[in-house]
Amino acid sequence: MTPGVRPLIAGNWKMHGLAADGLALARAVASGAAGLKAEVLLCPPATLIAPLAQALAGALALGGQDCHEAAKGAHTGDIAAAMLKDAGATYVILGHSERRMAYRETSHRVRAKAEAALAAGLIPVVCVGEPEDDRLLGRAEEVVAEQMTESLPEGFGTAGGVVAYEPVWAIGTGKIPTLSEIEEIHASIRELLHEYMDEEHANLVRIVYGGSCNATNAKSIFALPNVDGGLVGGASLQLDSIKEIIASI
Ligand code: PGA
């Protein structure tokens, strides 16, 4: 954990959740969330942001899982940052590897989306992480550095932007890097942040870990230097797991 930084536990529900179950889960996560050490953020499907915002009345932060880089226009099926904000979101996940792969989102596009998020007053959670081949070739740090350089917009630090390190091969697989591998990449991300912004902001950017983070491994991951919380997929859909993960910070 980074001294002086409030950690963040973000649940990425991906394409899971209808109104009844989503509301019940969010309410259960919110009960007991007051006074927690970590800020808790839920990123449900976009259809649930408004009802959750109404039901939770600020007890937890809410975020989108993607936004378009344009403020509005003829983009069938897409969602603008201002729409997420209007529905009650304060954050938006951008550049998740599932989107980088399925929709061929480049880092340049991720940066454009992050700029749109900032313009709409949303805090971007920018995901970076290497595919397995690059890890095996010893190129993890290099790939992450390239994604960082190309994805982060101006003003990211001052707006409270979050970097999520999510090795692609660890997402939904039950595999995680060793603790020292996580520590190394997070340290390299912190170092890069110092190249892009002033010292104060570089020290305050939260760098969260994602990829098969669960109730068993969370405590040891969160104890590492420069790990300021987690971006949790599968385990955030189970009440017991997400509560335990939140409590392990
Ligand atoms: P996982 O997903 O926790 O299910 O591995 C994390 C993510 O994709 O953000």
Side-chain angles (χ1 to χ4, degrees):
M1 211 113 60
T2 307
V5 165
R6 187 172 186 213
L8 177 74
I9 305 293
N12 174 10
W13 289 6
K14 308 191 181 184
M15 202 170 70
H16 297 282
L18 300 179
D21 289 351
L23 278 169
L25 176 60
R27 281 203 178 100
V29 174
S31 77
L36 279 176
K37 192 165 157 202
E39 179 179 11
V40 178
L41 164 67
L42 298 183
C43 299
T47 48
L48 293 187
I49 293 174
L52 259 59
Q54 205 172 21
L56 298 176
L60 303 175
L62 292 168
Q65 300 175 9
D66 179 48
C67 71
H68 197 275
E69 65 271 31
K72 60 181 168 181
H75 304 289
T76 304
D78 276 312
I79 192 155
M83 294 167 184
L84 295 172
K85 172 100 177 164
D86 192 42
T90 49
Y91 285 84
V92 60
I93 297 172
L94 295 171
H96 190 283
S97 63
E98 284 156 14
R99 296 202 58 88
R100 286 181 187 264
M101 288 186 298
Y103 301 99
R104 301 212 182 105
E105 279 188 14
T106 62
S107 290
H108 290 112
R109 181 127 197 246
V110 173
R111 174 156 53 201
K113 290 178 173 211
E115 283 165 355
L118 292 177
L122 289 179
I123 302 173
V125 178
V126 172
C127 302
V128 295
E130 80 287 356
E132 188 155 33
D133 287 0
D134 289 307
R135 166 61 67 183
L136 295 174
L137 290 167
R139 282 174 32 87
E141 207 173 302
E142 200 180 316
V143 169
V144 167
E146 194 176 298
Q147 289 173 332
M148 290 270 297
T149 307
E150 292 175 359
S151 307
L152 295 195
E154 284 286 314
F156 182 80
T158 36
V162 177
V163 176
Y165 169 56
E166 298 204 306
V168 178
W169 50 275
I171 295 175
T173 58
K175 294 193 280 185
I176 61 164
T178 64
L179 292 176
S180 56
E181 284 168 343
I182 296 175
E183 185 174 343
E184 261 174 44
I185 296 275
H186 279 244
S188 73
I189 291 173
R190 181 73 66 202
E191 224 170 273
L192 268 179
L193 289 170
H194 279 275
E195 287 180 23
Y196 306 144
M197 56 189 79
D198 64 70
E199 179 155 351
E200 188 195 339
H201 288 106
N203 284 330
L204 292 179
V205 168
R206 289 171 292 183
I207 309 170
V208 299
Y209 170 80
S212 296
C213 184
N214 60 36
T216 310
N217 60 30
K219 204 175 180 78
S220 50
I221 297 173
F222 298 161
L224 296 170
N226 292 305
V227 177
D228 308 311
L231 178 53
V232 185
S236 74
L237 295 166
Q238 315 282 336
L239 180 61
D240 289 351
S241 313
I242 190 64
K243 282 207 145 176
E244 238 183 282
I245 292 170
I246 293 167
S248 51
I249 199 109

